[in-house]
Amino acid sequence: MADTGTKNRTETAPKTARPPLHKVILINDDFTPRDFVVRILKAEFRVPEAHANGIMLTAHTKGACVVAVFTREVAEEKATRATEIARDQGYPLLFTTEPEE
Ligand code: TYC
């Protein structure tokens, strides 16, 4: 029988590497209205109302809050886009990204 090279394999298939995830972080400031922050979280990150309120309040009281995690490219895109929308409205609201440990 033809040698298919499939017998006696001791190596297991390598695990599919998953891309490292990056956090999108909402930064507090003294000027952006709370309801605007909640609206951006809902519109740009598809966060439900109650969760959006919680994220906003955590950033408001602690200085920052993780919004969600994505691949690096998506995290950076979303953070940039949300920050730009706030700028267009005249607010200093800032979203940053950092790699997840
Ligand atoms: N601190 C803002 C205020 O009192 C509200 C706010 C919350 C702004 C969270 C940014 O990431 C933020 N109007």
Side-chain angles (χ1 to χ4, degrees):
M1 201 194 272
D3 182 359
T4 59
T6 56
K7 263 189 173 175
N8 300 324
R9 282 178 48 179
T10 54
E11 284 175 32
T12 52
K15 293 219 168 65
T16 305
R18 277 169 302 184
L21 295 176
H22 288 238
K23 301 181 275 195
V24 172
I25 301 165
L26 170 65
I27 308 295
N28 186 40
D29 67 73
D30 291 338
F31 303 100
T32 309
R34 292 178 183 214
D35 67 335
F36 182 82
V37 179
V38 170
R39 237 185 304 140
I40 285 244
L41 290 171
K42 286 164 63 183
E44 297 303 313
F45 296 93
R46 302 270 144 217
V47 174
E49 174 99 34
H51 189 198
N53 249 301
I55 292 170
M56 181 279 292
L57 282 174
T58 299
H60 178 72
T61 55
K62 297 195 166 178
C65 183
V66 175
V67 176
V69 294
F70 304 97
T71 57
R72 182 174 61 79
E73 213 182 354
V74 172
E76 285 171 359
E77 259 171 33
K78 286 183 173 286
T80 300
R81 183 182 150 93
T83 299
E84 277 174 5
I85 290 168
R87 275 315 160 281
D88 286 350
Q89 304 293 312
Y91 297 127
L93 186 64
L94 179 63
F95 291 85
T96 61
T97 66
E98 68 176 57
E100 204 180 43
E101 320 70 50

